[in-house]
Amino acid sequence: MRLVLASNNAKKLAELQALFAALPIDLVTQGSLGIDEAEEPHITFVENALAKARHAARRARSAAIADDSGLCVDAIGGAPGVRSARYATLAIAGGAREDMRAMQDAANNRLLLERMDGVADRRARFVSALVAVRSAEDPEPLVALGRWHGTLLEAPRGTGGFGYDPLMFIAPLDRTVAELDAEVKNRHSHRAIASQQMLALMREVWHLG
Protein backbone atom coordinates (compact mmCIF):
# COMPACT_ATOMS: atom_id res chain seq x y z
CA MET A 1 0.00 0.00 0.00
CA ARG A 2 1.38 3.39 -0.97
CA LEU A 3 0.97 6.07 1.70
CA VAL A 4 1.80 9.66 0.79
CA LEU A 5 3.22 11.83 3.56
CA ALA A 6 1.81 15.35 3.24
CA SER A 7 5.18 16.86 4.12
CA ASN A 8 8.64 17.23 2.61
CA ASN A 9 10.31 16.98 6.02
CA ALA A 10 13.00 14.28 5.84
CA LYS A 11 12.99 13.81 9.62
CA LYS A 12 9.23 13.14 9.70
CA LEU A 13 9.63 10.70 6.81
CA ALA A 14 12.37 8.77 8.61
CA GLU A 15 10.41 8.67 11.88
CA LEU A 16 7.26 7.34 10.24
CA GLN A 17 9.17 4.89 8.05
CA ALA A 18 10.70 3.39 11.18
CA LEU A 19 7.34 3.27 12.95
CA PHE A 20 5.50 1.65 10.06
CA ALA A 21 8.32 -0.74 9.13
CA ALA A 22 6.27 -3.75 10.25
CA LEU A 23 3.33 -2.78 8.02
CA PRO A 24 3.01 -3.37 4.25
CA ILE A 25 3.35 0.34 3.51
CA ASP A 26 5.47 2.22 0.98
CA LEU A 27 5.74 5.70 2.50
CA VAL A 28 6.70 8.52 0.11
CA THR A 29 6.72 12.30 0.46
CA GLN A 30 4.31 14.45 -1.54
CA GLY A 31 7.27 16.43 -2.89
CA SER A 32 8.71 13.32 -4.55
CA LEU A 33 5.44 13.12 -6.50
CA GLY A 34 5.45 16.79 -7.47
CA ILE A 35 2.56 17.66 -5.14
CA ASP A 36 2.44 21.19 -3.75
CA GLU A 37 1.75 21.97 -0.11
CA ALA A 38 -1.84 22.43 0.99
CA GLU A 39 -3.22 25.55 2.61
CA GLU A 40 -3.75 25.41 6.38
CA PRO A 41 -6.60 27.86 7.02
CA HIS A 42 -8.17 26.20 10.04
CA ILE A 43 -7.98 26.98 13.74
CA THR A 44 -7.46 23.42 14.99
CA PHE A 45 -4.64 20.95 14.48
CA VAL A 46 -7.02 18.16 13.43
CA GLU A 47 -8.72 20.25 10.72
CA ASN A 48 -5.40 21.37 9.25
CA ALA A 49 -3.99 17.82 9.28
CA LEU A 50 -7.14 16.53 7.59
CA ALA A 51 -6.94 19.25 4.93
CA LYS A 52 -3.33 18.34 4.18
CA ALA A 53 -4.05 14.61 4.06
CA ARG A 54 -7.02 15.03 1.71
CA HIS A 55 -5.02 17.36 -0.54
CA ALA A 56 -2.16 14.86 -0.86
CA ALA A 57 -4.56 11.95 -1.37
CA ARG A 58 -6.46 13.82 -4.09
CA ARG A 59 -3.32 14.76 -6.02
CA ALA A 60 -1.67 11.35 -5.62
CA ARG A 61 -4.86 9.29 -6.03
CA SER A 62 -3.81 7.14 -3.09
CA ALA A 63 -3.84 6.95 0.69
CA ALA A 64 -2.16 9.80 2.55
CA ILE A 65 -1.12 10.85 6.04
CA ALA A 66 -0.46 14.30 7.52
CA ASP A 67 0.29 15.89 10.83
CA ASP A 68 -0.15 19.33 12.34
CA SER A 69 1.44 20.23 15.62
CA GLY A 70 2.30 23.06 17.97
CA LEU A 71 2.31 24.41 21.50
CA CYS A 72 -0.80 25.20 23.55
CA VAL A 73 -0.54 27.30 26.72
CA ASP A 74 -3.47 27.27 29.13
CA ALA A 75 -3.07 30.80 30.51
CA ILE A 76 -3.30 32.44 27.08
CA GLY A 77 -6.26 30.52 25.71
CA GLY A 78 -4.32 27.75 24.03
CA ALA A 79 -2.07 30.08 22.04
CA PRO A 80 0.14 29.95 20.07
CA GLY A 81 -1.71 26.83 18.84
CA VAL A 82 -1.81 26.36 15.07
CA ARG A 83 0.22 29.56 14.69
CA SER A 84 3.10 28.12 16.72
CA ALA A 85 5.65 28.19 13.89
CA ARG A 86 4.82 31.81 12.97
CA TYR A 87 3.71 33.19 16.33
CA ALA A 88 5.90 36.29 16.05
CA THR A 89 5.97 38.47 12.94
CA LEU A 90 9.43 38.84 11.41
CA ALA A 91 10.22 41.93 9.39
CA ILE A 92 13.26 40.30 7.78
CA ALA A 93 12.82 37.97 4.80
CA GLY A 94 15.28 35.94 2.78
CA GLY A 95 18.47 34.21 3.81
CA ALA A 96 19.37 30.58 4.41
CA ARG A 97 16.43 28.44 5.48
CA GLU A 98 18.04 27.21 8.71
CA ASP A 99 19.11 30.74 9.65
CA MET A 100 15.60 32.06 9.08
CA ARG A 101 14.14 29.21 11.11
CA ALA A 102 16.48 29.97 14.02
CA MET A 103 15.52 33.64 13.88
CA GLN A 104 11.82 32.78 13.81
CA ASP A 105 12.20 30.38 16.75
CA ALA A 106 13.99 33.03 18.80
CA ALA A 107 11.33 35.64 17.99
CA ASN A 108 8.54 33.20 18.88
CA ASN A 109 10.14 32.41 22.23
CA ARG A 110 10.66 36.08 23.06
CA LEU A 111 7.03 36.90 22.28
CA LEU A 112 5.75 33.97 24.33
CA LEU A 113 7.87 34.99 27.32
CA GLU A 114 6.59 38.56 27.04
CA ARG A 115 2.99 37.39 27.07
CA MET A 116 3.66 35.08 30.00
CA ASP A 117 5.49 37.72 32.04
CA GLY A 118 4.13 37.64 35.59
CA VAL A 119 1.73 34.76 34.85
CA ALA A 120 1.73 32.12 37.58
CA ASP A 121 -0.06 29.37 35.66
CA ARG A 122 2.61 28.11 33.26
CA ARG A 123 1.03 24.81 32.23
CA ALA A 124 1.48 23.97 28.57
CA ARG A 125 1.57 21.04 26.20
CA PHE A 126 2.92 20.12 22.83
CA VAL A 127 0.12 18.74 20.63
CA SER A 128 0.37 16.57 17.52
CA ALA A 129 -2.61 15.66 15.34
CA LEU A 130 -1.95 12.83 12.90
CA VAL A 131 -4.60 12.08 10.26
CA ALA A 132 -4.65 9.34 7.61
CA VAL A 133 -7.14 8.78 4.78
CA ARG A 134 -7.49 5.95 2.28
CA SER A 135 -8.59 8.42 -0.40
CA ALA A 136 -9.52 12.08 -0.67
CA GLU A 137 -13.19 11.12 -0.16
CA ASP A 138 -12.59 8.76 2.76
CA PRO A 139 -15.57 9.23 5.14
CA GLU A 140 -13.66 7.64 8.03
CA PRO A 141 -10.28 9.32 8.47
CA LEU A 142 -8.03 7.87 11.13
CA VAL A 143 -7.29 10.53 13.75
CA ALA A 144 -4.62 10.29 16.44
CA LEU A 145 -3.88 13.04 18.95
CA GLY A 146 -0.78 13.15 21.11
CA ARG A 147 -0.24 15.53 24.01
CA TRP A 148 3.05 16.06 25.86
CA HIS A 149 2.49 18.02 29.07
CA GLY A 150 4.97 20.36 30.71
CA THR A 151 5.47 23.83 32.17
CA LEU A 152 7.02 26.93 30.65
CA LEU A 153 10.22 28.24 32.20
CA GLU A 154 10.91 31.96 32.51
CA ALA A 155 14.10 31.67 30.45
CA PRO A 156 15.39 29.20 27.84
CA ARG A 157 17.45 26.19 28.92
CA GLY A 158 19.32 23.78 26.67
CA THR A 159 20.72 23.91 23.17
CA GLY A 160 19.05 20.95 21.46
CA GLY A 161 15.81 20.67 19.55
CA PHE A 162 14.06 23.63 18.00
CA GLY A 163 11.03 25.87 18.40
CA TYR A 164 9.82 26.14 21.99
CA ASP A 165 11.92 23.20 23.22
CA PRO A 166 14.21 25.39 25.42
CA LEU A 167 11.20 26.76 27.35
CA MET A 168 9.28 23.52 27.84
CA PHE A 169 10.18 21.74 31.10
CA ILE A 170 9.10 18.09 31.40
CA ALA A 171 8.87 17.29 35.11
CA PRO A 172 9.07 13.45 34.91
CA LEU A 173 12.32 13.77 32.95
CA ASP A 174 13.63 16.74 35.00
CA ARG A 175 14.77 18.41 31.77
CA THR A 176 13.59 20.88 29.19
CA VAL A 177 12.92 19.32 25.81
CA ALA A 178 16.03 21.12 24.53
CA GLU A 179 18.10 19.23 27.13
CA LEU A 180 16.95 15.79 25.95
CA ASP A 181 18.89 13.72 23.47
CA ALA A 182 17.05 12.87 20.25
CA GLU A 183 16.35 9.25 21.23
CA VAL A 184 14.67 10.20 24.51
CA LYS A 185 12.73 13.03 22.89
CA ASN A 186 11.45 10.81 20.09
CA ARG A 187 10.38 8.14 22.58
CA HIS A 188 8.32 10.50 24.77
CA SER A 189 7.16 13.28 22.43
CA HIS A 190 3.66 14.28 21.38
CA ARG A 191 4.40 12.99 17.87
CA ALA A 192 5.55 9.64 19.28
CA ILE A 193 2.30 9.33 21.25
CA ALA A 194 0.19 10.19 18.20
CA SER A 195 2.21 7.85 15.99
CA GLN A 196 1.71 4.87 18.30
CA GLN A 197 -2.04 5.56 18.30
CA MET A 198 -2.02 5.75 14.50
CA LEU A 199 -0.15 2.47 14.20
CA ALA A 200 -2.82 0.76 16.31
CA LEU A 201 -5.61 2.35 14.26
CA MET A 202 -4.09 1.22 10.96
CA ARG A 203 -3.93 -2.32 12.24
CA GLU A 204 -7.47 -2.23 13.66
CA VAL A 205 -9.36 -0.29 10.99
CA TRP A 206 -7.29 -0.73 7.82
CA HIS A 207 -6.38 -4.33 8.75
CA LEU A 208 -2.67 -3.77 8.06
CA GLY A 209 0.08 -5.79 9.64
Side-chain angles (χ1 to χ4, degrees):
M1 176 185 186
R2 185 175 71 169
L3 185 66
V4 178
L5 174 61
S7 170
N8 296 317
N9 187 307
K11 183 177 178 182
K12 287 184 183 179
L13 177 65
E15 287 178 358
L16 290 177
Q17 281 177 328
L19 180 75
F20 298 149
L23 301 182
I25 286 176
D26 178 21
L27 188 66
V28 298
T29 63
Q30 62 182 10
S32 68
L33 302 176
I35 299 172
D36 59 334
E37 294 188 356
E39 293 184 3
E40 303 174 41
H42 304 291
I43 62 173
T44 71
F45 299 115
V46 171
E47 288 173 299
N48 280 332
L50 179 58
K52 290 188 280 188
R54 289 203 190 281
H55 174 81
R58 184 174 298 108
R59 296 295 180 87
R61 298 181 182 275
S62 71
I65 188 168
D67 89 304
D68 199 48
S69 57
L71 177 72
C72 292
V73 182
D74 287 344
I76 50 176
V82 297
R83 295 187 60 242
S84 291
R86 295 289 183 269
Y87 191 39
T89 301
L90 280 185
I92 302 173
R97 181 175 181 179
E98 287 305 312
D99 291 342
M100 291 301 298
R101 180 176 181 176
M103 291 173 62
Q104 181 71 63
D105 286 349
N108 290 340
N109 283 319
R110 284 195 301 271
L111 179 58
L112 180 59
L113 287 176
E114 287 173 10
R115 294 186 174 171
M116 291 295 292
D117 186 33
V119 177
D121 181 2
R122 306 188 75 84
R123 291 173 298 173
R125 63 202 154 275
F126 281 127
V127 179
S128 173
L130 200 57
V131 176
V133 294
R134 290 165 292 188
S135 69
E137 293 76 31
D138 191 346
E140 189 187 5
L142 304 182
V143 179
L145 199 61
R147 293 181 174 90
W148 198 15
H149 296 272
T151 55
L152 293 177
L153 299 182
E154 296 183 354
R157 236 174 63 184
T159 58
F162 57 90
Y164 302 96
D165 289 358
L167 296 179
M168 189 67 157
F169 182 76
I170 309 298
L173 301 176
D174 195 30
R175 298 285 189 279
T176 66
V177 177
E179 293 174 313
L180 301 175
D181 62 45
E183 182 182 353
V184 174
K185 178 181 176 181
N186 292 339
R187 189 164 65 245
H188 293 276
S189 75
H190 49 308
R191 187 168 291 113
I193 295 168
S195 296
Q196 289 296 333
Q197 292 177 14
M198 181 58 68
L199 182 64
L201 286 170
M202 285 182 166
R203 284 174 166 154
E204 175 189 353
V205 182
W206 288 6
H207 310 296
L208 296 177

